[in-house]
Amino acid sequence: MPRRRSPSPSSSTAPRNRTPQPVRVRRRSFGDFVKAFLAFVALLVLLAGVPFALAVTAGWPLPETFEPMEWLKQDISVGTFLSILTFVVWLAWAQFTACVLVEMKAALSGVGVPGRVPGAGPSQLLARQLVAALLLVGATAASFTPGLGQLGQSIEGNQRPTVAAAQQTPGLFAQQQEQAAGTAAALAEQASHAEAAPGSAAKQRGDTKFYRIQPPEGRHHDSLWEISERHLGDGRRYKEIFDLNKDRTQPDGSKLSEASLIRPGWIMEMPGDARGGDLVEMPDDAPEVSPEVQQQIRDYDRTGDHAEGGGSGSGAAQVSVPEQRPAPAPAPGNDDAGHRAPAEQHATPAAQDSSSFGLPEALLAAPLLAAPLLAAGLLGALGHRRRQALWQSAFGGIGGRRGMEPPTPAGDALDVQDALLVGADPEGVRLLDRSLRGLAASLAAESRPLPTVYAAWLSSGDLHLQLAQPSGKPPAPWQLGQDETFWLLAKDDAERYEDTDTAAPYPGLVSLGTMDDSRLLLNLESVPGLVSLSGSEADRAAVFAAVAAELATNGWSDRMTITLVGFGEDLTPLAPSRLRHLDGVEALIETMEAETRQRRGALGAAGHDSVLTGRTGPAQHTRWAPHLVLLAAEPSAEDAVTLAELAADAGRLGIGYLVGTEGGELPGAAWEMEITGEGRLLAPLLGLELDAQLLPAAQQRAVIELFTDADPERGPDGPGDTPPFLVDISEQGRPAVYARLVGPYEIIGLDIPDDERSALLHEALALLLLHREGVHPRVLASALWPRGVTDDVREALVERLRGWLGTDPDGTPRLGTDATGRLTLAKSVVSDLDVLRSLYHEATQGKGVDSRAVRGRLLTDALVLVRGPLLADRPEGRYRWLTHEIVDAQLPLLVADTGLALAEFHLVKDRAEKAVEALNAALRTAPADERLWNELLRATHALDDPERLTALAADLIGRSGARGLPPRTEALLDELLPAWRDTVAAAG
């Protein structure tokens, strides 16, 4: 089985939100005891002295009888104000007393963060400080005795535990307890330093200590780093614990193979100098440990170096890929992965490919080839932007400018567009989106909350969700994966999902890279703290750009806000509604402080504990969208601390932080990653070593150029009316090969190829006809075989297509190759769409401008070519590349413009019936164009036939459905048929 290093959500993938640092050992001074005494006096005065003084001087604050009407009749005097003031003081004392009780309970029981007393912010803070000062001395004094006592025992090799417990005690004084443990460890280390190293000969059997991994509490999970920090005084010594326990069988039958992969219930043997209250010493187990746990520890103690006489394994630790189902053998020319295969399956070395097709170096090296989800998102967003420009131009949304043809990219922009087309995996995005929404819908139907997901793995077509903690049995067709923290959805089961009206449950998922053909998506908004990324500035920028671009354009999220700080390039053109740039860290902190307060208040008001529960509620589509912060510039130490404080509760609020650093530790970093110059993304504590997903500066600029050129508000140098390819529409320009694409697909002038390859050759020719600027062979192959294809199959297709198209009379092949290696068609190969564009252009900008008769003939000829939608009879499952195209938007607009121009031509001469015929012909291809319907209403009104106009209005209302008529159409009907509402209702 292929293997990888993988994080586990049940382990250290969720450490507490602080930078792992050695605990500073500090003895309590005489001043500390003075502070504790003063705190005791203050508490005594406030809790006992205040009520005693009030009782003596003012008495009981409440009246002896309850007679509200009599109170209202009494005169207001100084005594009245004194009574009110006395009652307020009594109330303040009661509130402070409640605060003290709450803080004392939390501190003594170790239940975690104390509960909040309503309206007692300052009072509770004062109570917390006084209680902490009082109890801290007790905790510290207790820590001195075990440390000194164990010092002598350590020398004699006969230690005894001071206490054993089966659980941690996080809470208000967790930090003080850790410092106390660190003090004891520092004292013991002076006498037993030689025993600290694993495998030391001085290690004695009776000196062995053990720790039992505790179950998660809230968002906190045990980690080797924190265990080492508490019991060895230095989190960096976690490797010693790992080496002692690596590959040893745990009580549940599994083994420790990576430092980050630890599970509740596992037992860890500790170095000899480990100290702390939650350790268990063998063979003299403390009475607090249950017999079952004692037996587990004894069984575990029999394994390891001292029992087996040697190491338990060698080599680097590995984490296997999430368990996969056996995959069927791939069909010839295809791979068996439901998601886009790795880049090397699509790209061949330059020495092999450039000799055949002259593959541009920029395309060969484009990281987008290895980023299928990012490429699919960018292509989808680019297509949407181009359609938006077409629609706004067609409806006169930008100063009346009418542009039917988007600009053809060139240079780096064209290379990157080809890389997007080759690398994109829209089917994988569709399955991921449907699978996640389907899971959310199933859980909502069962009234179950969404589990916290730290990561998702796409592997061999299957989707693995890595949960923060076990969340029970997943709803069908999901199933448990390799353990209870993995939910698995097989590819075949994912294809059963259909679109559902459910909010995206995990919009913060973003690709980081691949490991052994498995793609990792990290859920940024679920991380309990900051995610730091170290490395050189250029390497970090490439990672940040890829993360920002995918978040801005991915297809598995709805609404989100992405705040960018420290980015060299302005990425806003990718998604103006999602992306926003801030000038610096100061502006970011100000913004996020307000955002954090607002989200906390909104969650509290809605009664939700996190955004995950809010997303499954009634307001799922309007609230709880994630806010992801990408800070590429390294913050100062002070700003980093502030960001860490903001991020402490970020996972619950749906806010994620990815922060760049040159290499130093970042306070509050829950997950730490590093990008190398070789494009490797490393996270040692998480067990990750990925081939990073990157968007380097050159490709980033080219992508932005594609979006900028497609901007509908770009200006007069944007899309124009001139088609990229004009044909000779005279008799002398009769083509040798004529393909009819507008309507059913037909080819005139070529022999029909054999049945087995006919559909493939027809599809390849259609793609070339729609891209007269040329198509790279790799793009052509990617369109025909979305799952991948070998070089020999692709080359065979091109040669077969070249042979089918033949040559012109002068011997020139009708399928050629330009200087960039792209396949181009000769001018003798023409489609009806080329003719339609040329006729409309000639009628409106050529000879038809000066001759009314010529304009009418050209427009009529153009409309005759329209036989239906593009490639109306295309077989199911083929021509999926059309989802990347905008021709499906261009053709209806072109037909509508032609119909409107011909209708105007007839109405000038009062030929309303001819105008109606032209408009109805255009509506068969562009039935949703409001302009055609409005012009049809005007033309029908010109016939002076109220019944026909009423019938047309009724038909139009029936087509509009629940949405109703557009405002401009309603206004036009009010003008042409004032009583249309009553008339249509009566007719209906």
Side-chain angles (χ1 to χ4, degrees), residues 326-340:
N334 291 276
D335 62 54
D336 62 338
H339 303 284
R340 175 62 69 178

Side-chain angles (χ1 to χ4, degrees), residues 401-590:
R401 179 169 60 85
R402 306 287 291 277
M404 293 304 301
E405 304 297 335
T408 302
D412 290 344
L414 180 57
D415 289 335
V416 165
Q417 179 175 274
D418 285 347
L420 292 174
L421 291 168
V422 173
D425 182 17
E427 181 66 13
V429 172
R430 184 183 68 86
L431 288 178
L432 177 61
D433 181 46
R434 287 185 172 183
S435 301
L436 295 176
R437 294 181 194 267
L439 173 63
S442 299
L443 290 172
E446 299 176 8
S447 299
R448 295 173 58 186
L450 287 168
T452 300
V453 170
Y454 281 159
W457 290 90
L458 295 175
S459 181
S460 299
D462 298 337
L463 173 60
H464 304 255
L465 294 184
Q466 206 160 1
L467 312 184
Q469 58 190 26
S471 298
K473 183 179 179 181
W478 291 78
Q479 54 189 296
L480 286 176
Q482 61 195 47
D483 58 40
E484 293 184 349
T485 60
F486 276 89
W487 283 6
L488 165 66
L489 180 66
K491 177 179 179 293
D492 295 340
D493 293 331
E495 291 176 344
R496 291 159 42 190
Y497 275 118
E498 298 181 354
D499 293 332
T500 179
D501 186 24
T502 302
Y506 304 111
L509 285 170
V510 63
S511 303
L512 290 184
T514 57
M515 175 188 290
D516 293 340
D517 297 341
S518 294
R519 182 166 300 278
L520 170 65
L521 289 87
L522 176 67
N523 190 8
L524 277 181
E525 67 167 331
S526 73
V527 179
L530 304 176
V531 178
S532 69
L533 177 66
S534 61
S536 69
E537 183 177 358
D539 294 331
R540 295 200 320 268
V543 175
F544 272 101
V547 169
E550 185 172 295
L551 288 173
T553 61
N554 73 59
W556 55 86
S557 63
D558 300 322
R559 297 169 54 250
M560 71 166 59
T561 300
I562 307 165
T563 299
L564 309 179
V565 181
F567 280 68
E569 294 285 345
D570 185 2
L571 299 178
T572 305
L574 302 183
S577 62
R578 286 190 179 185
L579 290 170
R580 67 175 179 182
H581 282 256
L582 295 181
D583 294 335
V585 181
E586 182 178 350
L588 172 66
I589 291 175
E590 181 180 355

Side-chain angles (χ1 to χ4, degrees), residues 842-930:
E842 190 68 19
T844 56
Q845 299 184 48
K847 297 178 180 179
V849 175
D850 300 324
S851 173
R852 171 179 168 77
V854 171
R855 182 167 69 257
R857 177 175 58 82
L858 292 174
L859 291 173
T860 301
D861 291 345
L863 207 55
V864 169
L865 293 175
V866 181
R867 300 173 300 126
L870 186 75
L871 299 167
D873 59 350
R874 59 180 180 265
E876 185 178 359
R878 303 202 69 90
Y879 297 86
R880 293 185 177 180
W881 46 269
L882 281 173
T883 58
H884 301 318
E885 306 287 341
I886 64 168
V887 66
D888 60 336
Q890 285 177 299
L891 178 59
L893 291 175
L894 177 59
V895 172
D897 280 357
T898 304
L900 290 169
L902 187 56
E904 181 183 7
F905 172 82
H906 289 302
L907 287 174
V908 170
K909 294 296 184 179
D910 295 327
R911 294 195 292 264
E913 193 65 50
K914 290 286 187 181
V916 169
E917 292 178 5
L919 293 168
N920 281 323
L923 279 169
R924 284 193 286 272
T925 299
D929 198 306
E930 182 187 355

Side-chain angles (χ1 to χ4, degrees), residues 736-751:
V737 178
Y738 182 65
R740 306 179 73 180
L741 305 179
V742 185
Y745 192 3
E746 299 177 16
I747 299 179
I748 302 171
L750 291 177
D751 296 332

